[in-house]
């Protein structure tokens, strides 16, 4: 792979790099006297984050910022320094219990960013053996997904959603498509039965609509935890070919608390960031003349657009929280033990020292790097690509309803998301009401083809290829014809899909 940097020398260690001269603001990592910290919140930052990153580069590779009122942090804006920190777990912990200001109450738990940064017993917030144990369960679970069948399910879900707004000739793609599609996919991947599907999808809808902490999102979190607890109990009793059952059966032996937090992590990482990737990709395709002139350019055009979004406007622009295990100097910047260090994936990707031609170069940091690299980047990329491809195929004359410069971006340091994506298009009839029956069939009689195959035995060592687990290189198999007879579970799920369609149509 071609390196994205001009300098092909080996990666420096965490204490390397030029030391700023005395008096330089970068020397101490603090803002000069009389100058406030650069806020990474509010409408000004949301409207033009690139301008904020440009100002922050005066401090060098790491800059002092404020994540929320009263929450200072060090923001890494250099691509190379970001890689160094992401790859140095022996120096930088992911465990927020090292964050002294949070643990001693100097930063209250009701601060807007605390729920995003606090410790939870999941792979993202863990180090060492605990991280390896939780991460191995996640990795092995994702390895069992059948991506060919996942593609088919995403296509069906996309058709279902397009049928809801297609006859109107207009839509808010953020709310009616980009936000809802990941919810349907996760409902399927988790193997959620009809009696829980309604509660789970509605809780996820509330969380997706309130990425920032509010009373609504806190209530939705409680409903989500309760729903996941019930789902885990059901899957312990009746396991199936789904991610919940595979996590439960994994030799790592996750407790119920760990399972709830691990599933919540997968939801958090796979709904809001996924919807932002789909939405920002569509915005680029509909507004940039390089793409707009040839929306029929096929999958390669879509992949190029998504790759550009991941480089220039990643869905999680400032994430990857770290806490130094001791006082440390990085590229001349003094970082105190336990104080939060945040990787700006957006600023690092747009480091001026990177090459300007990135087409086909996928060395961006949108998926992270090091031991905490996103384990679901392949399914996430597939879901986004299929979502965009299906929408443009069904609505080839799709266009923005307002100029792109009039779109409003949601405030906050952790997301890059528009508040709405209004579009218009020639009205199109729904494919047919049979789409509901197809969705029900896909989620019941053909569920094994949607995510994988029912496991037989689970072993600690990686199993040899066997007939019950589809290998990654397997050719897609023909879809089975739907059964003519509808069983009770199939009928219950069809009723749920009809109820869901009516609920979303009322919105």
């Amino acid at each position: 792979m071609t390196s994205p940097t001009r300098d092909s020398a080996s990666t420096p260690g965490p204490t390397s790099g030029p030391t700023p001269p005395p008096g330089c603001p970068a020397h101490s990592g603090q803002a000069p006297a009389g100058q406030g910290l650069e806020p990474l919140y509010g409408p000004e930052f949301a409207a033009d984050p690139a301008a904020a990153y440009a100002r922050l580069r005066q401090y060098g590779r790491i800059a002092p910022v404020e994540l929320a009122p009263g929450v200072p942090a060090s923001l890494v804006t250099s691509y190379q320094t970001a890689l160094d920190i992401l790859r140095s777990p022996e120096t930088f912990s992911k465990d927020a219990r090292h964050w002294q200001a949070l643990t001693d109450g100097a930063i209250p738990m009701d601060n807007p960013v605390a729920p995003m940064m606090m410790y939870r017993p999941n792979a993202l917030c863990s180090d060492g053996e605990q991280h390896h144990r939780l991460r191995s369960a996640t990795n092995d679970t994702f390895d069992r997904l059948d991506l060919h069948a996942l593609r088919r399910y995403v296509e069906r879900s996309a058709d279902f959603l397009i049928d809801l707004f297609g006859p109107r000739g207009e839509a808010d793609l953020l709310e009616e498509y980009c936000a809802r599609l990941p919810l349907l996919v996760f409902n399927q991947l988790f193997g959620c039965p009809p009696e829980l599907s309604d509660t789970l999808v509605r809780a996820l809808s509330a969380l997706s609509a309130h990425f920032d902490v509010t009373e609504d999102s806190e209530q939705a979190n409680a409903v989500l935890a309760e729903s996941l607890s019930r789902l885990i109990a059901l899957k312990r009793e009746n396991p199936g070919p789904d991610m919940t059952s595979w996590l439960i059966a994994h030799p790592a032996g996750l407790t119920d608390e760990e399972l709830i937090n691990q599933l919540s992590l997968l939801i958090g990482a796979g709904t809001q960031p996924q919807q932002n990737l789909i939405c920002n990709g569509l915005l680029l395709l509909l507004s940039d003349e390089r793409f707009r002139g040839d929306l029929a350019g096929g999958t390669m055009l879509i992949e190029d657009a998504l790759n550009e979004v991941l480089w220039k406007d990643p869905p999680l622009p400032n994430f990857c929280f770290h806490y130094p295990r001791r006082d440390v100097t990085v590229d001349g910047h003094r970082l105190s033990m336990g104080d939060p260090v945040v990787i700006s994936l957006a600023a690092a990707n747009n480091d001026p020292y990177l090459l300007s031609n990135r087409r086909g170069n996928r060395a961006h940091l949108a998926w992270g790097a090091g031991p905490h690299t996103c384990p679901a980047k392949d399914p996430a990329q597939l879901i986004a690509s299929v979502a965009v491809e299906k929408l443009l195929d069904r609505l080839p004359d799709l266009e923005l309803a307002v100029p792109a410069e009039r779109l409003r971006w949601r405030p906050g340091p952790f997301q890059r998301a528009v508040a709405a994506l209004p579009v218009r298009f020639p009205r199109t009839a729904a494919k047919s009401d049979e789409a509901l029956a197809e969705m029900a069939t896909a989620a019941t009689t053909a569920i094994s083809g949607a995510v994988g195959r029912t496991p037989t035995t689970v072993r600690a060592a990686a199993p040899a290829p066997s007939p019950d687990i589809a290998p990654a290189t397997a050719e897609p198999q023909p879809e089975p014809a739907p059964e003519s007879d509808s069983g009770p579970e199939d009928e219950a799920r069809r009723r749920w899909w009809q109820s869901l369609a009516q609920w979303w149509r009322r919105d």
Side-chain angles (χ1 to χ4, degrees), residues 306-357:
L306 292 175
N307 191 51
E308 181 158 328
V309 167
L310 292 169
W311 269 108
K312 293 188 174 181
D313 259 336
L316 295 176
N318 302 293
F319 208 62
C320 299
F321 316 118
H322 294 78
Y323 307 90
R325 298 176 184 271
R326 59 184 181 277
D327 292 349
V328 63
T329 299
V330 178
D331 294 330
H333 301 260
R334 291 198 297 270
L335 304 175
S336 299
M337 180 176 68
D339 286 352
V341 177
V342 181
I343 305 298
S344 178
L345 304 175
N349 279 349
N350 293 280
D351 189 326
Y353 289 99
L354 297 185
L355 294 172
S356 59
N357 183 9

Side-chain angles (χ1 to χ4, degrees), residues 144-153 156 188-189 191 235 239-243 246 440-455 467-470 477-480 489 493:
R144 301 185 69 165
L145 292 181
D146 179 343
L147 296 184
H148 295 298
L150 177 60
R151 167 182 283 273
R152 294 195 295 271
Y153 186 77
R156 291 192 186 102
Q188 173 75 359
L189 294 180
K235 293 300 177 179
D242 52 71
M243 294 181 67
W246 297 339
T441 301
T444 51
T445 59
I447 189 172
S448 64
V451 290
R453 295 290 182 266
T454 305
D468 64 323
I469 300 178
Q477 299 299 313
E479 295 186 51
E489 184 180 1
R493 190 166 292 275

Side-chain angles (χ1 to χ4, degrees), residues 12 14 18 26 28 37 39 41 111 118 207 237 254 263 265 317 320 334 380 436 443 453 458 461 474 478 489:
S28 64
L37 297 176
Y41 54 90
N111 188 285
M118 65 181 288
L207 286 174
E237 184 175 350
L254 274 62
L263 290 172
L265 172 61
C320 299
R334 291 198 297 270
L436 293 173
R453 295 290 182 266
V458 180
E489 184 180 1

Side-chain angles (χ1 to χ4, degrees), residues 208-224:
S208 182
H210 299 283
F211 192 60
D212 296 320
V213 177
T214 66
E215 291 184 6
D216 288 341
S217 63
E218 287 299 296
Q219 181 180 3
N221 262 315
V223 173
L224 175 62

